Amino acid sequence: SVSCLNPKKWVVALRTSSYSDDNNTNGKNIIGGTSTVVFAKHNIPMGKVINADDLELKLAANRAAHGAYTKLENIIGHKAKKNITRDAVMKSRHLVVANDIDKDDDVLIVVGSAGLTISTYGQAMENGQVGEMIMVKNLSSDKEFKAIVLSEKKVRPLTNM
């Protein structure tokens, strides 16, 4: 800002642009500072589970980078909430958590110890990720019980079946 105290006090804010001839900018003029953020490498359809091949790190103006992800590992494994266009800055509004088990999925119920494993099929009554506790319905007995999600479509009951 520029100011003067005499004869009357006044202050004027000036907007400036900074240009860099750095090799890191590939010859492009960049205004107002940049950050490295995650971009969509190509179009990503709604519902697709995002992997490393879908993403890339690039420089973006700080204004566009506000709220953007800065690490690939924070996005990999999430699902696209909506269609994402190529070169879109990846933000949380684009993503939903990909559950290992979704409500109404058929799941494998596994109980075992010391070399003996018993398994049957059930239906998930709620969404869950590995390590979480969810309600499951045994399809043979129609009983509902709590279970721990072991992996995709696989649970271990907490109570006797």
Side-chain angles (χ1 to χ4, degrees):
S1 68
V2 177
S3 63
C4 181
L5 299 176
N6 288 326
K8 283 185 165 179
K9 183 178 177 182
W10 57 270
V11 177
V12 175
L14 300 176
R15 196 173 280 208
T16 64
S17 299
S18 61
Y19 295 93
S20 174
D21 292 331
D22 245 3
N23 289 338
N24 295 339
T25 61
N26 297 325
K28 296 178 185 173
N29 289 329
I30 300 188
I31 300 171
T34 60
S35 300
T36 301
V37 296
V38 181
F39 282 81
K41 192 183 285 186
H42 50 81
N43 292 339
I44 302 171
M46 179 175 66
K48 181 184 187 304
V49 176
I50 296 171
N51 59 49
D53 295 334
D54 298 321
L55 307 170
E56 62 185 342
L57 289 170
K58 295 195 301 190
L59 286 176
N62 283 340
R63 180 176 225 155
H66 182 70
Y69 285 97
T70 57
K71 296 180 182 176
L72 298 175
E73 56 268 17
N74 293 341
I75 299 177
I76 294 170
H78 287 68
K79 284 184 183 177
K81 185 186 288 187
K82 57 185 181 177
N83 292 328
I84 303 169
T85 59
R86 182 185 59 171
D87 289 330
V89 175
M90 298 298 293
K91 298 184 178 183
S92 61
R93 69 174 177 250
H94 296 122
L95 308 172
V96 292
V97 176
N99 293 313
D100 292 302
I101 296 176
D102 292 317
K103 183 178 178 179
D104 297 328
D105 277 353
D106 289 333
V107 296
L108 182 64
I109 303 165
V110 180
V111 180
S113 63
L116 177 64
T117 303
I118 300 170
S119 60
T120 187
Y121 289 97
Q123 183 178 36
M125 304 307 287
E126 53 195 36
N127 299 331
Q129 294 180 315
V130 172
E132 291 183 341
M133 183 172 45
I134 64 170
M135 290 298 293
V136 176
K137 180 182 191 180
N138 184 325
L139 294 178
S140 302
S141 66
D142 279 341
K143 289 185 180 179
E144 290 187 14
F145 56 91
K146 293 179 182 176
I148 300 292
V149 178
L150 298 176
S151 63
E152 188 174 350
K153 312 292 185 227
K154 190 174 184 181
V155 299
R156 182 188 75 232
L158 291 178
T159 59
N160 292 337
M161 293 175 47

